[in-house]
Amino acid sequence: MKLTKKLNHPSTESTGALSGVLGSAIDRRTFLRRTGLALGAGAIATTLPPAMMKRSQATAAERKFVKGPVEIKRSVCTHCSVGCGVIAEVQNGVWTGQEPDFDSPLNLGSHCAKGASVREHGHGERRLKYPMKLVNGKWQRLSWDQAIDEIGDRLMGIREQHGPDAVMWVGSAKFSNEGAYLYRKMAAMWGTNNVDHQARICHSTTVAGVANTWGYGAMTNSYNDMHNSKCIFFIGSNAAEAHPVSMQHVLRGKENGAKVIVADPRFTRTAAHADQFLRLRPGTDVPLIYGLLWHIFENGWEDKEYISQRVAFMDEIRAEAAKWTPDVVENVTGIPGDEVKAAAKTMAEHRPGTIVWCMGGTQHTVGNNNTRIYSVLQLALGNVGKSGGGANIFRGHDNVQGATDFGILADTLPGYYGLAEGSWKHWARVWDIDFEWIKSRFDQASYADGNKMTPAMNLKGITVSRWFDGANESDENVSQKTALKALMMWGHAPNSQVRGAEQKKALENLDLVVVVDPYPTHTAVLPDRTKEGMYLLPACTQFETYGSRTASNRSLQWGEKIIDPLFESKPDHAIMYMLAKKLGFDQQMFKNIKVNGEEPLIEDITREFNRGMWTIGYTGQSPERLKLHLENKHTFNVTTLKAEGGPCDGDTYGLPWPCWGTPEFKHPGTHVLYDTSKHVKEGGLNFRARFGVEHEGVNLLAEDSYSKGAEIQDGYPEFTADMLKQLGWWDDLTEEEKVAAEGKNWKTDLSGGIQRVAIEHGCAPFGNAKARCKVWNFPDPIPVHREPLYANRRDLVEQYPTYPDRKAFWRLPARYASIQAQDFSKDFPLIHTSGRLVEYEGGGEETRSNPWLAELQQDMFVEIHPGDANDRGIKDGQWVWLDGPEGGRIKVKAMVTERVGRGVVFTPFHFGGWFEGKDLLSKYPEGTHPYVRGSACNDAFTYGYDSVTNMQETKASLCQIRPA
Ligand code: SF4
């Protein structure tokens, strides 16, 4: 389908505005006022690699009136998790030039279309410019003081009447690490676990599945390490569009001889680079992987020594795999048997191989089963803990890894410390406040938590995937005092979530809705709200402040402030301070953080989390060390990520976590997780002892396997003060460390002494165990196949049924079997799946407001196979209705293509600003509407949530399509 080049190209709107200002030197403020428009990046293309090398500069016209010396500032692209460095040229406070960071080992001087156009942030015509509130259906301007005052009063009133859990705090993967940490701390001090962010709907099933298999829930290796892979298996990942610059590392791996296999329902741009493409029916990842394992076990291709030393319960996997014979796999997945066999053979013959997955794998009702079976495949092949191997799980937003690590999640505190008294006491000590005070902030009652009762303070909260159910359900159906009454939507797009009509209803009925964002977002326009109590607060982007962010490979990168916040926007941490002050807990929240005026000092926030994040080693990355890496990017090897000489000599770029001990301990960071070929002091590790030492008579500790230089040459449990004493290593602690370490363990010793001594003896602080293939505390201990709730293969439902309905699951009822019991496949015969486009990011508000990107993709569309289109009398480029089985409907353009197979349709998920075929343009505050608006695909997506994490199902629903 050819998209139309708009006659009124957005960038041409600006020419008139410029004519009056040329020729005179002006300052930044005048520049912004006079142009007020988007002038920015030069030519941008969507393809690799020439477009990735473009330099984006102010036009000659702009440069004429912006004078002064050029200052260079370095930051990080604010779009995806690859973490590409951005070099900005700033003159007189105006961002006048931009180029990709050629010194960065992560992007090597490349940018995709999104990164190449970030200078648009220096102008931001469509940004939210000042605080606003909705009065009688119209947006009114407010001062910051008035806005914070009114919002604070409303929050306090709701708290008084309904308790702290009546407020849902949705945070953001766009926060810096410091912002993410502060946000979780703020929710804790408000007194609720109803706090969550985008990771819930992108990789929560990864975190749960992977952490429960081998210890940590993150990418094990790195983009760069894929240079060393012999086989690269993508499943549910379209990196060429979702993580474009990562492809240069993939292609380097390919040049080095790696075989590339892509499994996807769609022939994606990534598939175009593959040696083999496997087109699977959406929702059949588990059968496909068992199909691969069937051949691996049948031919003895598994790594037997590795499994016996480092893996528990592989025999139970072997038993399940035996059921997945080639004909059964072909019937369920749709992939011919010989193709599965060929893929298994390639993987067996090309080791180490890596696996890459993204939301195609995670966003399912069985998402946790998918992520665990992917992990098991890598364990069977002996690929984990090796350079070139591992699980390269590409995260989404630029700081979704950091925001996850800092616990903007309804079930953890920063550093994955679980919701338990010990964790709260740990963080109370770090925060230097009384545990009893924090406890007093929570509802003191207990509520249903599955089959048991749990105090509100330790009860998992409502997740962002279902905040609107938390608002729409009756009080008696919600496991807390009342349903939600208020929503803080801080850097989150509701169009990235399913069931738009139910979100609309909730947004209309809540007593308070607050959007904090650089843009008004789809939240501002979705509801037809008649009552007061809806506010928009302008937050600035990360280019207008500074601090650290964590790329997908766990490397932290410090970014400098490029320009001052645009218009009246403020940085997240400053807004949090104002709010905390109004709500009366600023003294506790900022006890050890210096506040300049109303802006907390970023470095103090970094240092505070350095003092508490022992579990995952966010303790060694001091601001000073991160700034040193920023200054010396060019000294790092682009494959090993190790500094070769210079002031960072021996460090891994960005000190990827775990970076053990205190900053003074100078741990180099851990490039490849669980790699026993290195000393722990140099980034080596083994699997984590997290699940006890024995289960059902099976030894869970490693056998005859340990990291290089370990003095305990076998498996061992996690380190405690008592263990140091038993080993005779206690006196290796200093006297000061002994005082701090007494009665503590490697996670709670604030001195870092236990970690230091364990590592000095060559041991991993978290013990040395086997990875486990069986997660006995999950609904499916061994991953099994279950058909989607909206199943198109009714003949398979009886054999592979979904779960029973549940009560009190993340505080809400959850439906499974009662939906699957109905047959929707006759009226809705097409499988509906979704994904990303290279031009846009997330809910897309920011990128659709960028004229340079908006030009590239102007219409929301659905990809439909020619056969399915012809059966419906639909032509390429025609407007169609896509109807979902729950009544959601979207109006989109048809893209007739063989990228999708017969019976499957694909929609991108970045569009918003329409509802049920209507453009909501008139509902945006004046001048803030994105250039490109369109139907949110998720309005047609349906109910369905992962059985462990509440991840939404957006990859295997049903729909029908008809001409509009
Ligand atoms: Fe790099 Fe991702 Fe930004 Fe593109 S969007 S420039 S790949 S960080």
Side-chain angles (χ1 to χ4, degrees), residues 52 76-86 107 110-116 118 239 241-246 396 398 836 838 841:
M52 299 198 305
V76 179
C77 174
T78 50
H79 293 301
C80 91
S81 69
V82 176
C84 299
V86 173
N107 63 303
S110 301
H111 270 170
C112 75
K114 293 187 292 293
V118 291
E241 293 211 66
H243 305 87
V245 171
S246 74
D398 59 321
R836 280 166 80 160
V838 70
E841 169 74 10

Side-chain angles (χ1 to χ4, degrees), residues 153-169 190-192 194 441-445 447 456 462 470-471 473-476 478-487 509-512 531 811:
D153 286 343
R154 285 178 189 271
L155 283 170
M156 298 295 275
I158 289 166
R159 182 187 174 93
E160 187 117 321
Q161 199 182 342
H162 305 289
D165 286 327
V167 182
M168 176 84 209
W169 298 82
W190 169 260
T192 188
N194 288 336
R441 300 289 297 162
F442 282 78
D443 182 343
Q444 300 300 303
Y447 297 94
I462 293 171
E473 283 282 359
S474 59
D475 287 353
E476 55 274 17
V478 186
S479 268
Q480 56 183 40
K481 193 172 168 192
T482 66
L484 295 174
K485 306 294 177 201
L487 173 69
N509 293 333
L510 284 164
D511 293 339
L512 176 67
K531 64 201 235 186
R811 304 195 182 192

Side-chain angles (χ1 to χ4, degrees), residues 856-926:
L856 301 173
Q857 189 60 261
Q858 301 163 47
D859 292 302
M860 170 62 181
F861 62 90
V862 57
E863 290 183 6
I864 182 169
H865 188 274
D868 292 322
N870 292 337
D871 285 350
R872 290 161 177 78
I874 290 167
K875 288 188 181 158
D876 188 58
Q878 177 180 339
W879 284 103
V880 297
W881 282 105
L882 185 157
D883 298 295
E886 291 175 1
R889 59 181 189 138
I890 56 173
K891 191 176 167 187
V892 298
K893 279 191 172 173
M895 178 185 278
V896 179
T897 172
E898 289 180 358
R899 265 184 229 166
V900 285
R902 194 90 194 244
V904 175
V905 300
F906 166 88
T907 51
F909 60 67
H910 314 289
F911 289 81
W914 282 29
F915 186 69
E916 295 188 333
K918 284 201 199 90
D919 188 345
L920 305 176
L921 173 63
S922 63
K923 295 170 80 176
Y924 284 90
E926 195 184 342

Side-chain angles (χ1 to χ4, degrees), residues 48-76:
L48 305 170
M52 299 198 305
M53 311 295 279
K54 286 278 183 194
R55 177 183 169 84
S56 160
Q57 274 188 315
T59 60
E62 283 175 285
R63 284 192 178 272
K64 263 192 183 174
F65 61 86
V66 181
K67 297 207 171 135
V70 174
E71 270 184 281
I72 298 296
K73 301 283 182 186
R74 291 179 154 200
S75 187
V76 179

Side-chain angles (χ1 to χ4, degrees), residues 37 39 60 95 133 185 287 369 436 442 456 624 692 799 835 857 864 891 941:
L37 295 167
L39 295 162
W95 188 352
K133 71 171 170 179
K185 189 175 178 184
N369 286 5
E436 291 300 329
F442 282 78
E624 292 73 23
Q799 193 175 357
Q857 189 60 261
I864 182 169
K891 191 176 167 187
F941 272 103

Side-chain angles (χ1 to χ4, degrees), residues 611-629:
R611 288 197 295 273
M613 298 279 284
W614 301 97
T615 38
I616 54 171
Y618 257 86
T619 47
Q621 304 99 333
S622 63
E624 292 73 23
R625 291 187 83 190
L626 294 177
K627 288 176 190 175
L628 199 65
H629 281 216

